[in-house]
Amino acid sequence: MTTRSNHRQTFPIDGFENDFMLELMLFEQVTNAKAISDSIKSGAFDVEVALMNPKTVFTEDIVRLATFKAIVSMETKSMVTKTLHSEIIFNASPKTNINEAFRRFGAGPESTEILVARVCDKKKEKGEVETISSSSSSSSSS
């Protein structure tokens, strides 16, 4: 995967500024979307992320709101999906069908652009955001 530095943004989560932050990274010219998706699904990918379709996510506000809703669901133990990051994709959709949400807002196996969303728990993961970037760089050179 390739990325440019201006395609990486970090946001505080309203109401959870002291606990969580959202990191968004846009990757372009992706040629291994299926392999990345398969490694996340199998648990081989060591960092939990949401792989989203940037063609259906028109603004970062959609991801920020979906992330807020996902964190609230996690905190109140009312998540619909199994993980916080899959809950983000689910909450990006105006509908309540999980499969439809993933089909529309998740990155597919043929995706050439991927918006990566990652929620960082500030208490548990200090400094780990830099690890994501360096592991992505080393993966793209393989």
Side-chain angles (χ1 to χ4, degrees), residues 12-30:
I13 306 298
D14 293 338
F16 298 97
E17 294 89 350
N18 296 325
D19 300 320
F20 300 99
M21 68 179 190
L22 171 65
E23 183 177 30
L24 294 178
M25 295 176 282
L26 178 63
F27 291 88
E28 299 173 314
Q29 300 173 347
V30 176

Side-chain angles (χ1 to χ4, degrees), residues 9 17-18 27 35 41 43 47 60 67 69 78 84 99 102 106-107 116 118 128 132 135 137 140:
Q9 294 180 296
E17 294 89 350
N18 296 325
F27 291 88
K41 289 176 187 173
V47 178
E60 72 265 354
T67 301
K69 290 171 63 178
S78 61
L84 178 64
N99 290 332
F102 275 84
V116 176
R118 181 172 191 280
E128 198 168 303
I132 296 170
S135 67
S137 299
S140 65

